[in-house]
Amino acid sequence: GRRRRSALLPRGARLATKARGGEQSAVSQIDFRVGQIVSCERHPDSDKLLVEMIDIGEGEPRQICSGIAAWKTPEDVVGKKVVIVSNLKERKMAGTPSNGMLLCATKGEDEDRVLDLVEAPAGAEVGERVVIEVEGEEHGDAAPPNRVAKKKLYEKVAPELCADADGTVCFMKSPFTTSAGPCTASLKDSIVS
């Protein structure tokens, strides 16, 4: 019976310890993906929101609402290679469904606040997963959206997202990496959310 009991362990319990023996990093529970904004319009019922259609390699683009209309016009963002959080539950923003979150960098407070998009390198593949290597921990599979919501997994990593002095987007000190290099923000030493 001993061998059978280990087979009944929840899937995650066996996956958590991989080759190097480290635990899965909290940040790798979040599915950061490279996307390309294919179209964008102002939200019909909110001055604060833009509604973007973002291709992340799923066949159909995803509709995502972002509270960036005070800083960006639809024309500013169309065509940009961006990073989205793709494993969040759908939510309605001013009545419009939003399936994910567009990552942006911000600096300053209130009227002095400035914002820019987090950008993936031009050569990064649309839909590729952004990898964030945390020393001593495994970059494992992303959690399903229900688990992200229930366990507040995004809220656990969000306070540590930033752009460093070079504009490289990081979780703590670990860069957001794609096949074509790091993701960046024009606002250096900024908060990413």
Side-chain angles (χ1 to χ4, degrees), residues 8-169:
L8 297 176
L9 275 173
R11 224 173 106 227
R14 281 178 308 183
L15 289 179
T17 49
K18 292 221 175 118
R20 289 196 302 254
E23 295 243 334
Q24 180 174 350
S25 65
V27 74
S28 72
Q29 303 258 354
I30 307 305
D31 201 355
F32 295 102
R33 295 265 166 192
V34 174
Q36 187 140 31
I37 301 178
V38 291
S39 67
C40 179
E41 56 194 42
R42 293 191 176 281
H43 191 290
D45 302 317
S46 170
D47 295 341
K48 295 180 180 169
L49 296 174
L50 294 183
V51 183
E52 306 101 14
M53 297 302 286
I54 303 179
D55 179 6
I56 62 162
E58 295 175 321
E60 289 288 309
R62 285 217 192 177
Q63 179 171 285
I64 295 181
C65 299
S66 306
I68 62 173
W71 298 275
K72 299 287 177 190
T73 66
E75 298 72 34
D76 290 335
V77 302
V78 170
K80 296 276 189 193
K81 273 258 176 91
V82 293
V83 178
I84 74 153
V85 182
S86 72
N87 62 338
L88 299 175
K89 280 175 83 168
E90 179 183 297
R91 63 187 210 143
K92 286 206 162 45
M93 295 180 73
T96 300
S98 182
N99 284 288
M101 190 174 91
L102 177 66
L103 282 193
C104 294
T106 57
K107 270 183 111 155
E109 298 291 323
D110 305 324
E111 305 83 62
D112 298 330
R113 194 163 188 225
V114 287
L115 173 145
D116 207 359
L117 303 179
V118 165
E119 293 196 50
E125 290 287 323
V126 164
E128 82 169 88
R129 189 166 179 211
V130 176
V131 174
I132 301 118
E133 293 288 356
V134 177
E135 201 174 329
E137 297 180 324
E138 286 295 327
H139 194 275
D141 294 332
N146 280 346
R147 187 145 164 261
V148 172
K150 197 170 170 188
K151 301 273 190 198
K152 297 194 173 351
L153 297 178
Y154 184 73
E155 289 82 345
K156 287 177 183 164
V157 304
E160 303 294 344
L161 302 179
C162 63
D164 67 13
D166 299 319
T168 301
V169 174

